[in-house]
Amino acid sequence: MKKGVEKAPHRSLFKAMGYTSAEINRPLIGVVNSANEIIPGHIHLDRISEGVKAGIRQAGGTPMEFGTIGVCDGIAMNHPGMRYSLASRELIADSVEIMAMAHPFDGLVLIPNCDKIIPGMIMAALRLNIPSILISGGPMLAGRVNGKPVDLISVFEGVGAFKAGQMSADELDQLEDHACPGCGSCAGMFTANSMNCLSEALGLALPGNGTIPAVTAARVRLAKEAGVRIIDLIARDTKPRDIATREAFENALAVDMALGCSTNTVLHVPAIAKEAGIELDLAIFNDISARTPHLCSLRPGGPHFLEDLDSAGGVQAIMKELSRRGLINADALTVTGRSVGENLESVRVLDQQVIRPLENPYHEQGGIAILYGNLAPEGGVVKQSAVAPEMLSRTGRARVFESESEAADAILGGAIKPGDVVVIRYEGPKGGPGMQEMLTPTAAIMGLGLGKDVALITDGRFSGGTQGAAIGHISPEAAVGGPIALIEEGDEILIDIPKKKIELLVDDAVLAERRKSWKPREPRIKTGYLARYARMVTSGSRGAVLSEE
């Protein structure tokens, strides 16, 4: 778009913005900045972008910044806005593709920090396959209330505790004021931090990307280094698909299991892999989980925060520990220009209380499990590392709700009792539409003290902050006639996480009769983007990607 006599008009337009001929002649780098003033994880990204642009100029390139949209899942939670969150991932990927194809950059630096923005940008990078590097804004620090660390999930669970009379209004106000002390992606191993850590494990981001806190100078230095590195990637002609190989995805999933990442990784990692031309069947999550121990107990399932993981050595230290058992492919390439093994040569675990050794894991298996059975023929996902031991194997009675809001009202209203299995359906990718997160009902269950007595299943999904026996992504979903649509109030449901089973204990003949009377529901939303999304989106078992047909 800039070379030759024919491109004089193009150069003239660049000069209209103040670019000099020398700047135009250098490598042109698209800096994709998702900064905005509504997401705490993004409020500071202009500072990260300035660091990136300084690094690009230092290395001899010319940065050109443009933006993308972003949704804050926490702020979108428990109202109709949450339907747009997962759906925004496809728009983000498409918008980056459009900008980079309309203005053919030599390379891209991607600056996301929260849930759907990270996978959306990575999907675009793999689709475009031009030299690219990701640098996130980094995690938020934990808050403090009465000397104890807290985070956003503490506030969600505090609402349930207040409703149960276990917390005063003043105590809830204290949580509200102090749980989120500043910028960054929320402080536990929730979806945003899960994806930032996995981008590092995948090799598309620099060491430290997943864990260096947002407020530190080290984060700005990392941004500058990312700006320098993109020029080297261009010189080497190293493209995202050279890095994001199947072996690299297996590395990322091993880290996923060791960390106990968000169940949303089961949506995003296959969707990212698909853009690289790699099919990841859900069964791979169980395969890698079976051989990968759970080494870190991070919020919401445990006591530690991202800042603790960073101090303990971060994602690189996790990979170093896993490599002792051959669980990491050391030959995989990374954006450092070196292999994973070369990156890990001088790395060590700095705190074995935060990153346990292989010989003393929290659990012998990884943090995520995929359950199958007549209720979920295509699978359902649970963060098994955040489930109370009492709930790993349980039979309960179904309490059926046709939406998240109905279920949340019932839970907070005291209608759910020990032994119940809350069923929330018609909240899948098509039925929602948009596959809402269920943090409000799951946090209410925990806040009411029912975490060891009540399970929740849904064809929707969960926040990375969810804990308890919460099984999501039940596929096929209710909107397409999946078995979850046939459950009736009081049915017995068997959940056996160690055996990877979820069964509706109803005779096949009875289910066949119920199916005869089942009819598709009218879509909740009939116009606009979500209506188009609902028509095109595939199953949660396929990463909720859009159909190509």
Side-chain angles (χ1 to χ4, degrees):
M1 68 178 173
K2 66 180 185 180
K3 293 181 179 178
V5 173
E6 296 83 0
K7 298 302 189 298
H10 305 62
R11 294 191 295 272
S12 181
L13 288 168
F14 281 123
K15 289 177 179 179
M17 294 179 281
Y19 292 105
T20 65
S21 294
E23 288 176 303
I24 296 168
N25 287 332
R26 295 169 187 157
L28 302 184
I29 311 301
V31 178
V32 192
N33 185 2
S34 56
N36 61 48
E37 296 182 352
I38 195 165
I39 307 178
H42 291 227
I43 191 72
H44 66 305
L45 292 189
D46 282 341
R47 187 181 182 207
I48 302 300
S49 178
E50 288 304 316
V52 166
K53 289 187 284 188
I56 292 169
R57 294 187 183 104
Q58 175 186 328
T62 298
M64 295 178 171
E65 183 177 334
F66 63 92
T68 70
I69 62 168
V71 172
C72 177
D73 281 26
I75 295 172
M77 197 73 65
N78 197 30
H79 62 80
M82 177 47 75
R83 302 188 193 284
Y84 289 83
S85 174
L86 180 60
S88 73
R89 184 187 72 184
E90 315 309 314
L91 283 177
I92 290 162
D94 290 350
S95 67
V96 175
E97 176 194 356
I98 288 168
M99 289 296 288
M101 292 301 293
H103 318 99
F105 299 107
D106 295 292
L108 291 175
V109 180
L110 310 164
I111 310 177
N113 209 33
C114 288
D115 294 24
K116 310 309 163 299
I117 302 94
I118 304 159
M121 286 193 183
I122 298 174
M123 288 164 67
L126 287 166
R127 186 184 303 171
L128 291 161
N129 204 33
I130 62 173
S132 302
I133 189 170
L134 183 142
I135 167 69
S136 76
M140 187 184 293
L141 297 175
R144 293 289 187 278
V145 172
N146 298 324
K148 295 182 179 179
V150 291
D151 58 27
L152 176 67
I153 306 309
S154 307
V155 189
F156 274 99
E157 293 176 355
V159 173
F162 173 76
K163 293 276 189 177
Q166 298 167 7
M167 179 178 287
S168 70
D170 285 344
E171 288 172 324
L172 186 56
D173 283 345
Q174 284 291 304
L175 267 180
E176 179 184 323
D177 288 346
H178 298 289
C180 299
C183 66
S185 47
C186 296
M189 190 50 74
F190 315 139
T191 304
N193 289 325
S194 295
M195 292 309 303
N196 279 329
C197 287
L198 296 192
S199 67
E200 180 181 337
L202 191 57
L204 293 174
L206 291 170
N209 178 74
T211 59
I212 295 173
V215 295
T216 61
R219 176 59 60 177
V220 177
R221 293 197 298 271
L222 193 71
K224 291 179 179 178
E225 186 179 349
V228 171
R229 290 302 314 155
I230 189 61
I231 304 301
D232 183 68
L233 290 169
I234 293 167
R236 294 170 180 260
D237 195 29
T238 301
K239 300 181 177 72
R241 293 188 198 176
D242 299 327
I243 294 170
T245 61
R246 187 172 188 87
E247 291 75 19
F249 278 102
E250 290 180 1
N251 284 348
L253 290 179
V255 170
D256 187 343
M257 298 305 164
L259 287 174
C261 288
S262 164
T263 53
N264 280 314
T265 61
V266 180
L267 287 173
H268 298 320
V269 174
I272 291 167
K274 185 175 184 294
E275 298 288 354
I278 298 169
E279 292 295 328
L280 291 183
D281 186 89
L282 283 190
I284 195 173
F285 285 83
N286 280 345
D287 292 343
I288 292 180
S289 180
R291 63 178 185 254
T292 309
H294 176 219
L295 302 181
C296 294
S297 188
L298 299 159
R299 288 281 292 164
H304 299 131
F305 296 81
L306 263 290
E307 61 199 80
D308 303 315
L309 178 58
D310 188 61
S311 297
V315 172
Q316 300 299 301
I318 287 281
M319 296 179 78
K320 183 65 173 278
E321 186 64 18
L322 293 175
S323 69
R324 292 202 298 114
R325 194 177 287 176
L327 297 171
I328 293 294
N329 186 312
D331 295 329
L333 183 63
T334 74
V335 290
T336 64
R338 301 185 296 274
S339 69
V340 168
E342 290 170 325
N343 289 343
L344 296 180
E345 284 176 359
S346 61
V347 172
R348 62 189 179 91
V349 175
L350 302 177
D351 187 341
Q352 292 193 341
Q353 298 300 310
V354 177
I355 302 174
R356 286 192 175 184
L358 290 166
E359 295 77 17
N360 182 35
Y362 284 96
H363 303 95
E364 290 295 337
Q365 292 194 2
I368 287 176
I370 309 299
L371 310 187
Y372 296 95
N374 70 343
L375 188 46
E378 295 177 8
V381 60
V382 63
K383 184 188 278 195
Q384 61 181 348
S385 59
V387 178
E390 298 89 336
M391 293 299 294
L392 289 172
S393 299
R394 176 67 65 99
T395 300
R397 58 189 171 271
R399 301 297 310 281
V400 182
F401 302 93
E402 311 299 331
S403 70
E404 182 209 15
S405 57
E406 289 178 22
D409 290 344
I411 296 165
L412 292 170
I416 301 303
K417 307 300 181 186
D420 287 346
V421 177
V422 177
V423 177
I424 306 176
R425 63 191 180 191
Y426 294 98
E427 292 288 12
K430 286 184 178 294
M435 209 176 187
Q436 292 194 98
E437 286 189 344
M438 304 291 169
L439 181 55
T440 297
T442 58
I445 287 169
M446 299 304 297
L448 289 165
L450 295 171
K452 296 180 180 180
D453 301 293
V454 171
L456 188 151
I457 69 172
T458 181
D459 52 9
R461 62 193 177 91
F462 298 113
S463 163
T466 288
Q467 58 178 312
I471 302 159
H473 311 192
I474 298 291
S475 299
E477 63 175 291
V480 299
I484 191 172
L486 308 180
I487 301 173
E488 293 185 358
E489 190 82 6
D491 284 350
E492 292 285 301
I493 295 174
L494 167 68
I495 297 168
D496 193 330
I497 295 172
K499 292 183 179 179
K500 311 296 187 290
K501 287 179 61 177
I502 181 166
E503 295 279 346
L504 178 59
L505 302 180
V506 175
D507 287 343
D508 291 344
V510 174
L511 292 178
E513 285 300 312
R514 291 181 187 178
R515 180 165 297 285
K516 289 178 183 178
S517 60
W518 178 83
K519 294 180 180 179
R521 294 188 163 219
E522 282 287 313
R524 285 192 176 107
I525 296 176
K526 300 180 181 180
T527 61
Y529 174 62
L530 272 187
R532 296 196 303 275
Y533 177 84
R535 289 194 295 268
M536 298 174 67
V537 72
T538 61
S539 169
S541 64
R542 295 176 56 192
V545 298
L546 298 185
S547 172
E548 296 177 357
E549 297 177 359

